[in-house]
Structures are given as structure tokens and as C-alpha cells.
Amino acid sequence: MSHDHHHLAIWAAVDKIAADAGLSTSGLAKLAGLDSTAFNRSARVKPNGRLRWPSTETIARVLSVTDRDMDDFARICREVAA
């Protein structure tokens, strides 16, 4: 899997976790104690074209507030990447 493909899979997993929880990505970010714009699609690639990745702390917060674990996250990444 390419670097870009991993990036897309991780963000797609965040999107799916939000949807599964009945939240927008903005709502998920706020629930996780983050700025409401943290997961905006427009911010996933920086203006210079570099990919913006969520931090491990951010992923951990998302998993905590949605009662999921890293196994769930990895499974979702695989599913959305398929």
C-alpha cells in the first residue's frame, strides 16, 4: 500500500468512526476535545501539497470517546482501503 493510500485509509477510518457514532467529523473532533476543524477534509492536505496526518494522540482520543480500540481502528482502515 502506498504512502498516499495509507493517508486516505486513515482519514476514511476517522470519517467512518464519526458516521458510526452518528456524528459529523466536526462533532467527533469536539467530543474528543479537539478544535472543531481538526478533521476538515480541506485540511488533510497542506497548501504546499504535503499530507497532513492525525497524531497518535488524536487517534487515541477519537477511539476513547467512541469506545473503540486500536484493533477496531486497524480493521476499519483495512476495510476502507479494500
Side-chain angles (χ1 to χ4, degrees), residues 15-30:
D15 294 340
K16 180 164 178 21
I17 288 169
D20 287 353
L23 299 165
S24 64
T25 53
S26 176
L28 178 60
K30 287 190 278 189

Side-chain angles (χ1 to χ4, degrees), residues 10 13-14 17 59 63 69-77:
I10 287 170
V14 170
I17 288 169
I59 298 299
L63 296 176
D69 60 28
M70 283 302 294
D71 288 334
D72 289 332
F73 187 74
R75 179 185 48 75
I76 294 166
C77 283

